[in-house]
Amino acid sequence: MKKLAVPGWIKSYAWFILANWVVFTLFRGIFLFVFHAALVPQSYHELWETFYIGAKFDARLACALAIPLGLYFTVCAFWHGARVIRKGISAVYALLEAAVLLIYFADFAHYAYIAMRINYSIFKYSENALISLQMAWETYPLVWAVIGLLVWAVLGFWFVNRLQKKAFSQTDSYRWKGNLGWFFAGLLVTGGLMFGQLSQYPLRWSNAYHSTNNFICNLTLNPVLNIFDTARFVKADSFDKAKTQQYYDTVASYLGVQHPDKETLNFERNVAAKPKAEQHDYNVVVIFMESLAWNKISMTNPDIDPTPFIKSLADKSILFTHFYSPTSATARAVFATVTSIPDVTSFKTSSRNPLIVDQHVVVNALRDYEKYYFIGGSASWGNIRGILEHNLGGVHMYEEGNFEHEHRNDVWGISDLDLFREANRVLNKEQEENNGKPFFAFIQTSGYHRPYTIPADNAGFELKDIGEELAHKRSFVSVAEYNSLRFSDHALREFFKLAEKSDYYKNTIFLIFGDHGLAAPQSENMPRGYVDLNLINHQIPLIIAGGPIKKPQVINKTASQVDILPTVMGILGRPYFTRAIGRDVLTDPAPEPGALIYGWAVSPATIGFVQGDYYYHSQGEKEGLYKYAADNYNEDISKKEPQRFEHMKALAKGLYETSRYQFYHNQKRDERDD
């Protein structure tokens, strides 16, 4: 058998990647050695995963550096004349390697200074370049650093120059076909290393936040890649402290801040435990129903009855009829629900922003609970993995690839029915193994989504044809969408059938709500003001059901998705601490009702506030107060009710500015944040 002869230029390309990979891994080890005091014994077991994920980030950087060299080698393999610029290529790589080392030097100094890995905000120091340079000169051994960079540049020049000599020192037998084959082989391997994992989604920065321990997550990051990952967010938007202070008094009163302080912007609230008789160890299941919009369900569409089970469940549970999602995107809904802060970022979603991944979460006060998150697809979608794994202490993630019985339905992973089956199986099993230890579980569905796939294994679900014309009039884009929502309702019914047979059901409360609403131009089943003012993109139902709910109740007061977890803590009667926007809306006396609305998909973005039948709406310089359900919904009544207008305006603007401020000031700081 003929021995496979690998061309010299491919070997040199591979050696470049390997050498850089080893060096970057060594730097990670040095980082651990230098800052090991921040590593607590409870996190020792996470080091192997840290170095494994970190190695994949390092491989990505090594490949990114190697690609220009690989392209140059390819050109040289076909055209020998290109080799005359060999020393020029070596010089370029000497500068590149020195630049990478400079970033590592700056990263070590940055972490030593503020316990944070370097990110794109480092370039803000250039605004005061002389002061920043003087501080660095007086703080760090810059002379030795410069000498180190020069030595590293010389080594880089020598190394790349030597690789080039080795690349073409032998006379390869390959002609253009052979070289082309090796080129595509190298391209494939490089692409695989840069993709980083066998998954629908590539390796993302959120994979670094696999722990609630900040040092472990910082150790996983690659500083060079972190600059690129954070660049667009640093450029996009931050917060305005002056504006936050401007509206502080109104917002502090609305949130019930116990010790207001405008100068320090204190939003902290310590909520005491209820009397012992009112404290409970209920299990909690929080269910995100994809696009479960108020204008789509049976309560507003009784004749076509798309969600009969949800309607029957609501009739025997607690139903919020004026409940709103702050924004209209799933990743934003996950962020808002988990952190209790509306996702009002103007760029992408907050879950995608590495700079604000660290957030205090009120349910971490439930230290005696096991925590779970179930999603039919991948938690890398929308980078929600970072928000979940980094902030939900000890959360058990179940996603596509982790389920025992897994049949991929479409792009969104397994079907909602299979997701509910798997969640029930896991919760049943864990209850038995943990001797009934209470749990807090999130289930995120995604089936009610294009392409509206109904799985073959559908537990007897039957399609229903109401005609395209009627579907359009009743808030649906097609009969296929209508049946997709019907199947989501059917899957939820099957889940409750399974849950009711389990040991955990009698001691479990379920919170079912839509992640966001959905626009539908016709929507003849809704008041026209909902449509034209775009509130159908935000209004969703919230149902609190389960064994402990003995008395049905309909609550018409306005509330928000950010209120969900504080309300759960109130039902459990447990003490907790928060700085966020969310409040317990079932407490007595009830807080002032209201919900912030943020329309990110238009420019300029809309900022609004709903309270009862009133809606304050602003977009750019235009603003007004409207009664959205009235026949004259488009009449601005701000002049008729100026006091209400000014109050709702202050709440809308204040909650918007406060949310932006809290992105960067709700980090875990002490034992209250564990």
Short mmCIF file of all heavy atoms in Angstrom, two decimals, residues 19-39:
data_model
loop_
_atom_site.label_atom_id
_atom_site.label_comp_id
_atom_site.label_asym_id
_atom_site.label_seq_id
_atom_site.Cartn_x
_atom_site.Cartn_y
_atom_site.Cartn_z
N ALA A 19 1.44 25.06 17.04
CA ALA A 19 2.34 25.83 17.91
C ALA A 19 1.58 26.96 18.61
O ALA A 19 1.73 27.18 19.82
CB ALA A 19 3.49 26.40 17.09
N ASN A 20 0.76 27.67 17.87
CA ASN A 20 -0.02 28.74 18.48
C ASN A 20 -1.04 28.20 19.48
O ASN A 20 -1.25 28.79 20.55
CB ASN A 20 -0.72 29.56 17.39
CG ASN A 20 0.17 30.61 16.78
OD1 ASN A 20 0.34 31.70 17.31
ND2 ASN A 20 0.79 30.25 15.65
N TRP A 21 -1.64 27.10 19.13
CA TRP A 21 -2.61 26.46 20.03
C TRP A 21 -1.96 26.13 21.37
O TRP A 21 -2.51 26.41 22.44
CB TRP A 21 -3.14 25.21 19.34
CG TRP A 21 -4.41 24.64 19.92
CD1 TRP A 21 -5.04 25.02 21.08
CD2 TRP A 21 -5.20 23.61 19.35
NE1 TRP A 21 -6.19 24.26 21.26
CE2 TRP A 21 -6.30 23.40 20.21
CE3 TRP A 21 -5.09 22.83 18.20
CZ2 TRP A 21 -7.28 22.44 19.96
CZ3 TRP A 21 -6.07 21.88 17.94
CH2 TRP A 21 -7.15 21.69 18.80
N VAL A 22 -0.76 25.53 21.31
CA VAL A 22 -0.05 25.17 22.54
C VAL A 22 0.31 26.42 23.35
O VAL A 22 0.16 26.44 24.58
CB VAL A 22 1.22 24.36 22.19
CG1 VAL A 22 2.11 24.20 23.43
CG2 VAL A 22 0.84 22.99 21.64
N VAL A 23 0.76 27.45 22.66
CA VAL A 23 1.14 28.69 23.35
C VAL A 23 -0.07 29.31 24.06
O VAL A 23 0.02 29.74 25.22
CB VAL A 23 1.77 29.70 22.36
CG1 VAL A 23 1.90 31.08 23.00
CG2 VAL A 23 3.14 29.21 21.92
N PHE A 24 -1.21 29.36 23.37
CA PHE A 24 -2.40 29.96 23.97
C PHE A 24 -2.88 29.14 25.18
O PHE A 24 -3.34 29.70 26.18
CB PHE A 24 -3.52 30.07 22.94
CG PHE A 24 -3.18 30.93 21.75
CD1 PHE A 24 -3.76 30.71 20.51
CD2 PHE A 24 -2.25 31.96 21.86
CE1 PHE A 24 -3.44 31.49 19.42
CE2 PHE A 24 -1.92 32.75 20.78
CZ PHE A 24 -2.52 32.50 19.55
N THR A 25 -2.76 27.83 25.08
CA THR A 25 -3.12 26.97 26.21
C THR A 25 -2.17 27.21 27.38
O THR A 25 -2.58 27.23 28.55
CB THR A 25 -3.09 25.49 25.80
OG1 THR A 25 -4.01 25.29 24.72
CG2 THR A 25 -3.49 24.59 26.96
N LEU A 26 -0.89 27.41 27.07
CA LEU A 26 0.10 27.71 28.11
C LEU A 26 -0.24 29.03 28.79
O LEU A 26 -0.16 29.15 30.02
CB LEU A 26 1.50 27.79 27.48
CG LEU A 26 2.65 28.12 28.44
CD1 LEU A 26 2.79 27.04 29.51
CD2 LEU A 26 3.96 28.26 27.65
N PHE A 27 -0.64 30.03 28.01
CA PHE A 27 -1.05 31.31 28.59
C PHE A 27 -2.24 31.13 29.54
O PHE A 27 -2.32 31.79 30.58
CB PHE A 27 -1.43 32.30 27.49
CG PHE A 27 -0.26 32.86 26.73
CD1 PHE A 27 -0.43 33.44 25.47
CD2 PHE A 27 1.02 32.84 27.26
CE1 PHE A 27 0.64 33.96 24.77
CE2 PHE A 27 2.10 33.35 26.57
CZ PHE A 27 1.91 33.92 25.32
N ARG A 28 -3.15 30.23 29.18
CA ARG A 28 -4.31 29.97 30.05
C ARG A 28 -3.84 29.36 31.37
O ARG A 28 -4.34 29.69 32.45
CB ARG A 28 -5.29 29.03 29.35
CG ARG A 28 -6.65 28.93 30.05
CD ARG A 28 -7.58 28.01 29.25
NE ARG A 28 -7.66 28.42 27.85
CZ ARG A 28 -8.40 29.40 27.41
NH1 ARG A 28 -9.15 30.08 28.26
NH2 ARG A 28 -8.42 29.72 26.13
N GLY A 29 -2.87 28.46 31.27
CA GLY A 29 -2.32 27.87 32.49
C GLY A 29 -1.62 28.90 33.36
O GLY A 29 -1.73 28.89 34.59
N ILE A 30 -0.90 29.83 32.72
CA ILE A 30 -0.23 30.90 33.46
C ILE A 30 -1.26 31.81 34.13
O ILE A 30 -1.08 32.23 35.28
CB ILE A 30 0.68 31.72 32.51
CG1 ILE A 30 1.83 30.85 31.99
CG2 ILE A 30 1.24 32.95 33.22
CD1 ILE A 30 2.66 31.51 30.90
N PHE A 31 -2.34 32.09 33.42
CA PHE A 31 -3.41 32.91 33.99
C PHE A 31 -3.96 32.25 35.26
O PHE A 31 -4.17 32.92 36.29
CB PHE A 31 -4.53 33.10 32.96
CG PHE A 31 -5.63 34.02 33.40
CD1 PHE A 31 -5.57 35.37 33.12
CD2 PHE A 31 -6.74 33.54 34.09
CE1 PHE A 31 -6.58 36.24 33.51
CE2 PHE A 31 -7.75 34.39 34.50
CZ PHE A 31 -7.67 35.74 34.21
N LEU A 32 -4.18 30.95 35.21
CA LEU A 32 -4.67 30.21 36.38
C LEU A 32 -3.65 30.29 37.51
O LEU A 32 -4.02 30.50 38.68
CB LEU A 32 -4.95 28.76 36.01
CG LEU A 32 -5.32 27.82 37.17
CD1 LEU A 32 -6.59 28.29 37.87
CD2 LEU A 32 -5.49 26.39 36.66
N PHE A 33 -2.38 30.12 37.19
CA PHE A 33 -1.34 30.15 38.21
C PHE A 33 -1.26 31.53 38.88
O PHE A 33 -1.17 31.63 40.11
CB PHE A 33 0.01 29.79 37.59
CG PHE A 33 1.17 29.90 38.54
CD1 PHE A 33 1.39 28.92 39.50
CD2 PHE A 33 2.02 31.00 38.50
CE1 PHE A 33 2.45 29.03 40.40
CE2 PHE A 33 3.08 31.12 39.38
CZ PHE A 33 3.30 30.13 40.34
N VAL A 34 -1.31 32.59 38.08
CA VAL A 34 -1.15 33.95 38.61
C VAL A 34 -2.35 34.35 39.46
O VAL A 34 -2.19 34.97 40.52
CB VAL A 34 -0.95 34.95 37.46
CG1 VAL A 34 -0.98 36.39 37.98
CG2 VAL A 34 0.37 34.68 36.75
N PHE A 35 -3.55 33.98 39.03
CA PHE A 35 -4.76 34.45 39.71
C PHE A 35 -5.49 33.32 40.44
O PHE A 35 -6.69 33.41 40.68
CB PHE A 35 -5.70 35.11 38.69
CG PHE A 35 -5.10 36.28 37.98
CD1 PHE A 35 -4.79 36.19 36.63
CD2 PHE A 35 -4.82 37.46 38.65
CE1 PHE A 35 -4.23 37.27 35.95
CE2 PHE A 35 -4.25 38.54 37.99
CZ PHE A 35 -3.95 38.45 36.64
N HIS A 36 -4.78 32.27 40.81
CA HIS A 36 -5.42 31.09 41.42
C HIS A 36 -6.10 31.41 42.74
O HIS A 36 -6.96 30.64 43.18
CB HIS A 36 -4.38 29.98 41.62
CG HIS A 36 -3.37 30.30 42.69
ND1 HIS A 36 -2.24 31.04 42.44
CD2 HIS A 36 -3.34 29.98 44.01
CE1 HIS A 36 -1.55 31.17 43.55
NE2 HIS A 36 -2.19 30.55 44.53
N ALA A 37 -5.75 32.52 43.37
CA ALA A 37 -6.39 32.87 44.65
C ALA A 37 -7.89 33.07 44.50
O ALA A 37 -8.65 32.92 45.47
CB ALA A 37 -5.74 34.13 45.23
N ALA A 38 -8.33 33.38 43.27
CA ALA A 38 -9.76 33.60 43.03
C ALA A 38 -10.51 32.29 42.84
O ALA A 38 -11.75 32.28 42.78
CB ALA A 38 -9.95 34.48 41.80
N LEU A 39 -9.80 31.17 42.74
CA LEU A 39 -10.42 29.87 42.53
C LEU A 39 -10.81 29.25 43.86
O LEU A 39 -9.96 29.03 44.72
CB LEU A 39 -9.47 28.95 41.76
CG LEU A 39 -9.98 27.55 41.43
CD1 LEU A 39 -11.14 27.63 40.44
CD2 LEU A 39 -8.85 26.69 40.85
#
